[in-house]
Amino acid sequence: MRHIDMNSLVVPAAWNAKVAKTVKAVRDAVLSGKKPKFPSHWTDPQLRQALVDLVGPKCWYCETPVHGNNPDVDHYRPKSAIIGVDGPGYWWLAYVPSNYRLACGFCNSGGSQTNGQSGRRTKSNHFPLLDESTRATDEASDYAKESRILLDPADFRDAHLLGFDADGHVRRRSGAPRSDAEISRSLCRADETIRILDLNRELLVEDRKTTMGSINKLAPLLMNPLSKGVAREMIEDKIGLRSDWSTAALEALRGHPRAAAEFFASSRQGRAKPMVVSPERKTDLTDLMLLLSAGILQVGVALTAVHGGDQIEATVLTDGRISCRSRVWSTPTSAARAATGQEDIDGWAFWSITVNGVTTSLAGLRDLYRRQRPT
């Protein structure tokens, strides 16, 4: 699962105009106590193509290529009913494109055969919560308060919760702690998502394993001056956001720390000359200057984060400080606390960067530096 930036979605104006009457009809039906009808405007070619244009023709949940011109358009929050919950679904989101996710037929509705069983339900109308009292009930609800279980590819924090073993099986990422709500319910959001979507179905695991094997062969070539140029291009193709099973490919690359450091330090979008840490500065592992000097982080790179449903942006400055909302902060945590007004945020986990379609937290970059720094 890769993060899909829904802010880049361009919805055709003609589509918005087309659905306006339908939205009114649905709302009127609900308010009058009638069961609403949902014409499938989300299958319109122009709207579906706008979704495909974000990351290409692949499933946003499992990254399997979607063949043909008609990939499924899933409602992340189900429109008409929710499995295990009495009452209507999120009817008011039926025609809100930010609620749409492209899916392969298996992830969305099942029907394929797995372990001798066929016709199973997968994503379908599943949308469980850790705490049912947090469920949104109308158009004025705050979705940020919902304690979602199913991981969402449109939320970069969710996408980072999944990792892979060497054989291509998806799993909860090592070191990704469960929330207090998960612990109190004896659940793991990553595990439940894997179960609901059957993300370890046999053919999918084999495809991931093959992709990871290709990266394992290419990664050592990055350390050879004669082969690293070609190897870099081939790896960029495998881990690119539009590539099939790219998250597994990225995981395989991270399994080669030296090669990963070489790859990210000299990526096409960041080949600036490494900076030198001034000797009078304290060189500890909370200093962004160490990442800048190692070439792992670049001056001017955009930092992003999501808080309360809003995207927050900041910029890394020459001296290692962070500019956010017209003010400059000395540490990632100070910048994060200033941006959110909260005192319990770890800025290293809060801020992320995206290079060549790959999103990594500052904590992930710091861990990479720790593995590579001189002992």
Side-chain angles (χ1 to χ4, degrees):
M1 184 182 292
R2 287 289 290 272
H3 171 232
I4 311 298
D5 183 6
M6 296 297 286
N7 292 321
S8 301
L9 178 64
V10 179
V11 180
W15 187 86
N16 281 325
K18 178 180 180 178
V19 303
K21 291 183 179 180
T22 302
V23 171
K24 182 179 184 304
V26 168
R27 183 177 291 108
D28 289 345
V30 171
L31 294 178
S32 63
K34 299 178 181 178
K35 184 177 181 179
K37 296 181 180 180
F38 296 100
S40 55
H41 297 316
W42 50 86
T43 65
D44 284 8
Q46 286 186 322
L47 187 279
R48 186 150 32 192
Q49 187 59 50
L51 293 166
V52 171
D53 287 344
L54 290 179
V55 293
K58 71 174 183 177
C59 176
W60 292 5
Y61 293 112
C62 72
E63 294 195 89
T64 295
V66 179
H67 300 292
N69 298 320
N70 299 311
D72 287 2
V73 178
D74 170 55
H75 289 72
Y76 176 67
R77 288 177 168 85
K79 64 184 181 300
S80 57
I82 304 167
I83 293 174
V85 178
D86 294 332
Y90 298 79
W91 57 267
W92 61 92
L93 295 177
Y95 302 100
V96 177
S98 61
N99 188 44
Y100 297 161
R101 311 287 183 264
L102 282 188
C104 65
F106 190 91
C107 280
N108 190 32
S109 56
S112 299
Q113 188 173 84
T114 303
N115 299 327
Q117 298 180 351
S118 61
R120 59 182 298 279
R121 283 184 301 194
T122 46
K123 168 60 174 64
S124 184
N125 289 335
H126 276 100
F127 197 71
L129 300 181
L130 290 165
D131 181 354
E132 186 60 31
S133 69
T134 66
R135 189 176 298 280
T137 57
D138 54 40
E139 298 174 79
S141 298
D142 183 357
Y143 306 115
K145 294 180 179 180
E146 285 191 315
S147 55
R148 298 176 294 109
I149 289 179
L150 193 71
L151 301 183
D152 182 8
D155 187 334
F156 74 86
R157 297 165 298 184
D158 283 2
H160 289 318
L161 295 178
L162 296 179
F164 302 87
D165 64 20
D167 291 323
H169 293 90
V170 66
R171 51 172 172 70
R172 181 171 64 88
R173 182 174 298 282
S174 177
R178 292 186 297 157
S179 66
D180 291 342
E182 288 176 272
I183 294 172
S184 67
R185 287 284 310 278
S186 298
L187 290 177
C188 171
R189 294 183 63 214
D191 289 346
E192 285 296 285
T193 299
I194 293 167
R195 180 186 65 81
I196 291 171
L197 298 178
D198 196 13
L199 293 180
N200 279 327
R201 52 191 184 268
E202 185 176 354
L203 293 179
L204 184 53
V205 170
E206 287 300 316
D207 288 330
R208 290 197 205 106
K209 184 177 181 180
T210 299
T211 298
M212 296 176 78
S214 297
I215 295 295
N216 289 334
K217 293 178 181 178
L218 290 168
L221 301 180
L222 288 172
M223 310 311 297
N224 185 332
L226 298 178
S227 59
K228 69 178 183 179
V230 173
R232 185 187 319 284
E233 291 184 2
M234 296 178 72
I235 290 174
E236 285 176 344
D237 180 64
K238 292 287 185 182
I239 71 173
L241 183 61
R242 303 178 72 85
S243 300
D244 307 329
W245 311 295
S246 61
T247 313
L250 181 59
E251 186 87 347
L253 178 61
R254 287 170 173 161
H256 301 266
R258 291 183 60 204
E262 170 64 26
F263 178 85
F264 289 113
S266 54
S267 65
R268 287 179 173 177
Q269 293 187 18
R271 291 183 177 175
K273 183 178 180 180
M275 299 182 61
V276 177
V277 179
S278 175
E280 66 269 18
R281 290 177 63 96
K282 182 179 180 181
T283 56
D284 60 34
L285 292 179
T286 64
D287 194 337
L288 284 183
M289 281 297 291
L290 295 179
L291 303 186
L292 292 171
S293 66
I296 295 175
L297 187 66
Q298 303 297 326
V299 171
V301 71
L303 302 179
T304 60
V306 175
H307 178 73
D310 296 325
Q311 180 159 305
I312 303 172
E313 296 183 352
T315 304
V316 177
L317 303 179
T318 303
D319 59 1
R321 293 186 298 167
I322 295 174
S323 174
C324 179
R325 294 180 174 174
S326 302
R327 296 192 65 181
V328 176
W329 307 93
S330 298
T331 68
T333 296
S334 294
R337 291 179 175 179
T340 64
Q342 295 188 355
E343 297 294 325
D344 58 351
I345 289 181
D346 176 3
W348 289 85
F350 182 75
W351 297 110
S352 295
I353 69 168
T354 300
V355 177
N356 292 339
V358 179
T359 301
T360 307
S361 69
L362 288 181
L365 297 180
R366 180 179 60 187
D367 291 342
L368 180 61
Y369 175 82
R370 283 172 168 165
R371 292 193 295 267
Q372 293 300 308
R373 76 184 191 278
T375 57

